[in-house]
Amino acid sequence: MGDEPSFGIPAYPEREYRKGGVERTGGSVFTLTPDDGTVEDRVERVLAAERYTVGDWFDLPSPVYLVRDGDLGTVFRVVCHDDRVDLHVMVTTDSSGLRAFYDRLAATSDASWTVECETNAQDDRRGSSEVPSSMRYTR
């Protein structure tokens, strides 16, 4: 693997419309983990940039943000945990938006970052079962 993560999106979530709402299955999540464990303050500083429109409407144990990158016109979800950040790929997410967020986040400190991507995608050979896969990069 190369020195830098590509943020190529291996699988997008699929939407299934049902009575009463939309269900999403499969997709990809990029997990960003700094070696010093400091996350939430850095994420809030990055999201404060003018290019992002952010919403945190949920009362959950961890901050969850729906993020729109106005410069790149892409949307993704950011979840802050104690020691890591998860970037959830949505149907309209473009990898350039994930890359830009990561670059800005990494620039907030001298910490080294590990980037992992976990994917759950529908495998047509097996019908409706999900096939997990993962990638790992360290910067």
Side-chain angles (χ1 to χ4, degrees):
M1 308 255 164
D3 293 333
E4 292 291 321
S6 71
F7 287 93
I9 299 171
Y12 285 87
E14 294 187 19
R15 292 185 276 200
E16 186 174 326
Y17 298 94
R18 297 178 181 226
K19 186 177 180 180
V22 177
E23 182 177 324
R24 290 176 180 82
T25 57
S28 302
V29 176
F30 290 87
T31 299
L32 316 177
T33 308
D35 62 357
D36 65 3
T38 304
V39 171
E40 194 169 346
D41 179 59
R42 290 180 181 147
V43 169
E44 288 174 356
R45 283 188 283 158
V46 170
L47 293 177
E50 196 170 298
R51 75 184 286 157
Y52 295 112
T53 303
V54 179
D56 178 15
W57 299 282
F58 308 105
D59 185 21
L60 300 171
S62 298
V64 176
Y65 302 97
L66 180 61
V67 178
R68 181 180 185 282
D69 183 325
D71 290 358
L72 298 172
T74 190
V75 177
F76 51 95
R77 192 169 55 240
V78 175
V79 181
C80 293
H81 299 278
D82 289 338
D83 62 348
R84 71 184 192 282
V85 180
D86 290 340
L87 305 181
H88 291 257
V89 171
M90 300 179 76
V91 175
T92 60
T93 301
D94 186 86
S95 62
S96 63
L98 301 175
R99 158 59 71 189
F101 182 86
Y102 168 74
D103 287 344
R104 293 176 72 101
L105 188 62
T108 63
S109 75
D110 292 330
S112 294
W113 290 81
T114 298
V115 177
E116 297 176 281
C117 178
E118 187 169 315
T119 302
N120 285 310
Q122 298 297 327
D123 183 348
D124 292 335
R125 296 169 295 164
R126 297 185 189 175
S128 63
S129 65
E130 292 193 356
V131 178
S133 65
S134 63
M135 299 177 284
R136 181 183 176 109
Y137 304 89
T138 301
R139 174 179 178 176

